[in-house]
Each structure stands twice: as structure tokens, then as C-alpha cells.
Amino acid sequence: MVAESNAVLIKVGNSREIALKPETVLGRQAECDVLLTEGHASRRHAKVLLAEGSYWLEDLGSSNGTFLNGKRITGRVRIASGDRLRFDVEEFDFRIHSQAPVARTLPTVAREEATAYRAPESAAVVAESSGVFKRPGAWADPDALGDGGVNKTQFIDPAQMKQMASASPILANPSAVDGPHLQVVSGSRAGLNIRLAVGDSGNAEWTIGSQADREVQFMDSGVSALHAKIVNEGERWKVLDQMSANGTFVNGKRANVSYLASGDRVRFGPVECVFHTDGSGAARITASQRMLDPGLGEGEETKGRSLVVATIAFLATIAVLFVVYKFLLSK
């Protein structure tokens, strides 16, 4: 018979109580019992379980660590009411309703071999006034490193990535989709048109990556779990890279933030798409915006500059010929 849990986690900051099950998994994966939304937690980060009449905290090979009363743990350790648990930067107080909180300075270790305590991280995690956390020196992007080596994003050589993107592109008919959409031209979903439709919430933002909860999901090797997102701001569209391992590219130029125009080629790692609008002017880009992002419309701007240079050269030639002509007439 499985014992019933009478413990809760209390979120530090808003005091929200989360009831625990006999085994509770925490992480940023949608299937976890407790979803970690702050910092950069691993998909399956840690778990709290009730066994042998005690509660235990176990790290599941997370990239950025599980901490008990400020000390990073490995393996499984016993916890008691009053302990503070931290998963990367997100903190909770552990409470057992039938027990008063115990004042403790160090966690209790059940077995000597269970946990090897290490020195604190090279830099403390501090909540700044802006709400932005200062990350430890050992912080890493789990999309790039993987959860304990599992499902890690593969780094791809730029030349190989271009070859993957250009291999046997399938050009779907863009008119097959009404409204703004991505036309996928390479990768496992090549040939599809993915409509960027605003849902009931009115949220004009589409997340892209290999993780299951992304609005646009690409499972291709080289696409990060949280790769990028496309945002609509009324008459403007833009794409934002989200610290992806292999980058986001617009018209062949790597960009962290880039405004989009209809017909732009957007590449998420090795997966290339063509961005289309419905032609209603929703993707008009001003000259100042293009100056902010020189990679946007680079071909058209290069042609414009060439035309200006040619015009100036022609006028200069006419002026020189006129001066020579006047000089010859004066003799």
C-alpha cells in the first residue's frame, strides 16, 4: 500500500501551496507534476518522494542543479519540514502539515554514500530589483548540454548545416494557406505550410523548437528545445532567437532579433522556412527598422546602393567632359 502524502511545497515569493504526491516530478516538461517556469530548469529536473516513512529529494541529472538549504546535491537526500529547495533559480519551502518546521543548517544525509556535498557555486544566485536573476558561474543552457547527456541539442558545423538546409528542398504552393504562414522548405517537415493564426487568447506570438509544448515543433537534429519565437506587433513581424545552440538566420545572416518581410528566408538551425504574409501590408518594414537589422532585405539595399553609386559616377563623368569641352572652346 502506497503511503499518502501530507506535504506541500510553498513557492517563495507568492506563498502558493502545491500539494505533493507520494512521488512528485519537477521540471519544465509539460508532463511533470510541478512545472518549473523560472530560470532554465531541465525537462525532468528533480523529484520529491515519500519512501520508508521519510521524504526524499532527488536530482535527476539536471544541468543547473538542485539545492537543499543552499547546498547543491547529487543523488538522493532526506528532507524535513522547514527545508528550502531550489531548482536552478526557482525556490520552494518544504512543509509537512503534521510537523512543525525544523530549524536546520545542513540537510540530513541518510547514507554516507548517498550524497557528496560540494562547495557552493562560483557565484551566488541573486534576485535583482528588475526581477532578473544573476546566474551562477556554472550555469549552462540545458538545450545545448542536454539533461544528463540525454536529448541534448547537437552542435552542427555551419557548412554541414547549410548543406542540410539546401538538400532537396520541397517548395509547397504558398497560396495553399490563407494568411501569414511559414512555408517549410527543408527538414523532416519540408513541404508543409504552417499557418500563424491568432488563437482565442489573442496572443500573437508563436514559439518554435523541438520541445513538445512549442507552437511550431521541428524534431530535426540541430533544432533546440526552446529555439526561437515569431512575434506579430500589428503591422510588423519579427523573429527572436532564444539562445539556440545552432542559431536563427534571416536571409543567410545570423540574427538574435530581426524584423521580417514577406518572402524572407528564416532558418532555425538546419530547418529553413519562407515567411509569407497575406499581402495586407502587415509586414511593411521601414527604412529605420532595416538600419537596425542590416541583414533584412540585404539584396534590395545592395542594389539600391549600387544604383546611387552608378548615378553619381555618371554625373561626375558628364561634369568632367563639360569642363574639358569649355577649355577647348576657350583656346
Side-chain angles (χ1 to χ4, degrees):
M1 180 177 177
V2 178
E4 185 176 347
S5 173
N6 62 342
V8 296
L9 289 178
I10 303 174
K11 178 71 184 296
V12 174
N14 60 17
S15 300
R16 181 170 65 94
E17 284 196 9
I18 302 172
L20 295 178
K21 301 189 296 186
E23 182 171 320
T24 303
V25 178
L26 303 93
R28 63 183 173 89
Q29 194 172 41
E31 290 76 13
C32 291
D33 302 304
V34 178
L35 194 63
L36 299 176
T37 59
E38 296 176 6
H40 216 141
S42 296
R43 293 175 180 83
R44 286 172 56 86
H45 196 102
K47 68 179 177 181
V48 177
L49 67 156
L50 175 60
E52 303 171 1
S54 299
Y55 285 92
W56 304 80
L57 174 65
E58 182 178 348
D59 183 77
L60 298 178
S62 66
S63 298
N64 294 316
T66 300
F67 299 80
L68 176 59
N69 298 324
K71 298 285 186 178
R72 186 167 184 167
I73 69 166
T74 58
R76 181 185 294 185
V77 297
R78 181 185 288 135
I79 56 177
S81 187
D83 281 340
R84 175 157 293 189
L85 317 183
R86 174 159 62 83
F87 311 96
D88 186 18
V89 299
E90 193 160 359
E91 291 187 306
F92 298 87
D93 286 326
F94 176 72
R95 293 284 189 274
I96 301 175
H97 284 309
S98 60
Q99 298 179 9
V102 178
R104 308 174 65 187
T105 56
L106 288 175
T108 300
V109 183
R111 305 184 307 274
E112 282 189 17
E113 68 275 12
T115 304
Y117 285 102
R118 295 186 263 187
E121 298 292 313
S122 58
V125 177
V126 179
E128 300 176 339
S129 60
S130 63
V132 177
F133 288 95
K134 186 179 295 182
R135 300 188 178 279
W139 179 85
D141 181 0
D143 291 338
L145 297 180
D147 298 343
V150 180
N151 298 324
K152 68 178 181 180
T153 301
Q154 178 185 349
F155 285 93
I156 299 176
D157 179 80
Q160 182 187 357
M161 193 159 53
K162 284 186 178 180
Q163 185 178 6
M164 292 171 66
S166 60
S168 303
I170 301 174
L171 298 175
N173 179 12
S175 63
V177 175
D178 181 26
H181 64 280
L182 288 174
Q183 176 192 359
V184 187
V185 297
S186 73
S188 60
R189 303 188 72 185
L192 290 181
N193 285 322
I194 302 174
R195 186 179 178 189
L196 304 177
V198 177
D200 296 336
S201 64
N203 183 29
E205 182 175 295
W206 297 265
T207 54
I208 298 162
S210 59
Q211 189 166 294
D213 60 356
R214 301 264 100 179
E215 278 85 15
V216 179
Q217 187 180 24
F218 296 119
M219 297 302 297
D220 303 75
S221 176
V223 177
S224 294
L226 311 176
H227 197 105
K229 64 180 177 179
I230 290 177
V231 179
N232 175 234
E233 300 174 337
E235 293 189 345
R236 301 185 303 179
W237 292 80
K238 65 182 178 182
V239 61
L240 299 91
D241 184 77
Q242 295 185 299
M243 292 200 313
S244 63
N246 292 303
T248 300
F249 299 77
V250 177
N251 297 326
K253 186 178 181 67
R254 187 163 186 165
N256 292 324
V257 180
S258 182
Y259 285 96
L260 296 176
S262 189
D264 280 344
R265 300 183 78 87
V266 186
R267 180 156 54 84
F268 309 100
V271 176
E272 188 160 37
C273 304
V274 179
F275 172 73
H276 294 282
T277 68
D278 57 2
S280 63
R284 283 177 287 183
I285 306 299
T286 66
S288 60
Q289 290 163 2
R290 289 187 181 276
M291 287 176 66
L292 287 172
D293 185 3
L296 196 65
E298 189 173 351
E300 287 75 7
E301 291 195 3
T302 300
K303 290 178 182 177
R305 287 194 295 269
S306 299
L307 182 60
V308 171
V309 171
T311 302
I312 293 173
F314 175 76
L315 293 175
T317 302
I318 294 297
V320 171
L321 290 175
F322 179 76
V323 170
V324 172
Y325 174 73
K326 293 291 287 181
F327 175 76
L328 293 174
L329 286 181
S330 64
K331 285 190 174 183

